[in-house]
Amino acid sequence: MKKFALFLFIIITVPSAVLKSQEYLDFNTSKGDNQKRILLVPFDPRIYINDATALIAAEDGSTHDEILEYFRYQFNLQLYDAMMDSCTIISLFSDNTRQDKEDINGLYSIISYELVKAMPNNPENPDKEKKSYFAKKREEKEQQRRLDEISQYNTKIVDGEIVGKRQPTHDMYLNIVFHQPEVLAEIANRREVDYFLFINQFEIKGNYGDPYLTGNSKAERTIKVHFSIYNSQGKLIHGSFGENKIPFDLAEKEKISALYFPEVIRQIVNNINF
């Protein structure tokens, strides 16, 4: 009789315990991973500038499209590697699936671009960035001077003529504008992502404003990568650019990628709240 009672107790309690365990597993949608999920969107090949193309092509015989795809692949790969320990990354670069192709083509189709003032990037070493009272005052004064300078470039009509100056672009970035922002929320919900990291534009440009600089052995080009970080509701979190200098006559695309991309990537990644 006692054995039968024990057997009946096991039959009743074990399924109940299993059911409660199963309910807990179904509820735990994080699957034990509390990392942020970030969708990485590479730059549209149509938004690419490289005035070192002829130099690189002469070095290794690559075509314009081959150089473009090499830099696009390498930048995406290094960015992925730099973030992989801090978050879960979903990259649209590979286009391995029909859904990936549809998402990236859909995003490109609803994006337009505008040149706007870049947001200040987060410092890599905040403790080293602490400033004294007088240093902060000097910085505020300099910021006001720059704002006054920018205001001078506004176009005005004087005596019936359009008068204005060309606005400097060294502190501006190419921002993306969504005509259908609800698409971001739909993709974020479907792919369960917290942030979108868009690479808006990739450019390598020399300083042609100084005729003496380009013929100098110390002349440089600038790698400038524009980016935008959006949250899952389609709100812009941060928009700016990362940049680095390279020797003007550097023609090896492998060296450009290996030696000069990491600094640009650090400037970008440092603005993500992992």
Side-chain angles (χ1 to χ4, degrees):
M1 185 67 182
K2 290 183 179 179
K3 289 183 179 180
F4 176 79
L6 178 61
F7 177 75
L8 184 62
F9 174 79
I10 292 173
I11 291 176
I12 295 173
T13 57
V14 170
S16 175
V18 171
L19 180 60
K20 289 182 179 179
S21 175
Q22 186 62 47
E23 289 174 349
Y24 174 79
L25 291 173
D26 289 343
F27 180 78
N28 184 14
T29 55
S30 68
K31 299 178 182 179
D33 185 359
N34 294 321
Q35 288 186 324
K36 299 292 185 182
R37 290 173 58 86
I38 299 178
L39 186 69
L40 178 56
V41 185
F43 66 85
D44 187 334
R46 295 171 296 180
I47 312 298
Y48 164 84
I49 300 172
N50 182 4
D51 63 18
T53 295
L55 189 69
I56 298 170
E59 172 69 21
D60 63 10
S62 299
T63 66
H64 170 275
D65 289 347
E66 289 171 342
I67 296 169
L68 185 161
E69 283 305 317
Y70 177 83
F71 284 141
R72 189 169 181 251
Y73 171 78
Q74 284 295 327
F75 195 85
N76 189 84
L77 176 64
Q78 291 188 34
L79 185 56
Y80 188 102
D81 289 344
M83 297 166 57
M84 63 183 298
D85 290 336
S86 303
C87 65
T88 300
I89 310 166
I90 302 94
S91 175
L92 292 184
F93 177 84
S94 58
D95 291 344
N96 283 331
T97 67
R98 181 173 61 84
Q99 189 62 64
D100 287 344
K101 291 180 180 179
E102 289 179 356
D103 281 347
I104 196 168
N105 291 333
L107 286 169
Y108 287 160
S109 68
I110 62 170
I111 289 175
S112 64
Y113 300 87
E114 62 177 359
L115 199 62
V116 297
K117 187 73 174 291
M119 300 179 185
N121 287 332
N122 293 332
E124 290 191 44
N125 299 303
D127 292 338
K128 294 183 179 180
E129 296 293 325
K130 291 180 180 179
K131 301 178 178 65
S132 67
Y133 170 82
F134 297 104
K136 289 180 180 178
K137 286 297 181 182
R138 286 195 300 269
E139 186 178 81
E140 290 172 1
K141 189 175 182 179
E142 174 62 18
Q143 287 177 343
Q144 185 59 51
R145 185 194 67 77
R146 290 173 62 189
L147 289 173
D148 293 341
E149 181 182 85
I150 290 173
S151 67
Q152 296 176 10
Y153 293 93
N154 292 336
T155 302
K156 300 177 182 179
I157 298 178
V158 179
D159 296 330
E161 295 184 6
I162 298 177
V163 178
K165 296 181 181 180
R166 190 174 180 180
Q167 185 170 338
T169 60
H170 66 277
D171 59 351
M172 305 184 79
Y173 83 107
L174 198 67
N175 183 39
I176 52 178
V177 179
F178 292 99
H179 302 291
Q180 296 173 276
E182 63 274 10
V183 173
L184 279 186
E186 186 276 324
I187 294 177
N189 181 64
R190 171 162 44 83
R191 289 184 174 266
E192 298 181 346
V193 298
D194 301 291
Y195 295 111
F196 295 84
L197 173 54
F198 288 90
I199 303 303
N200 306 341
Q201 183 180 36
F202 178 98
E203 62 181 65
I204 298 178
K205 294 174 67 176
N207 182 1
Y208 297 102
D210 186 344
Y212 299 101
L213 184 60
T214 54
N216 191 313
S217 61
K218 296 182 179 180
E220 295 175 317
R221 297 182 200 266
T222 300
I223 300 175
K224 187 174 183 180
V225 179
H226 309 243
F227 69 96
S228 297
I229 302 170
Y230 282 81
N231 67 12
S232 58
Q233 286 76 48
K235 179 183 177 182
L236 178 65
I237 302 299
H238 190 82
S240 189
F241 59 85
E243 64 179 350
N244 200 5
K245 305 290 185 181
I246 66 173
F248 194 85
D249 59 353
L250 180 57
E252 293 90 352
K253 62 180 184 291
E254 294 81 10
K255 286 186 178 180
I256 294 174
S257 169
L259 300 179
Y260 300 98
F261 281 9
E263 172 58 29
V264 178
I265 288 170
R266 279 195 294 271
Q267 295 174 31
I268 294 173
V269 172
N270 201 47
N271 297 284
I272 302 173
N273 182 14
F274 294 112

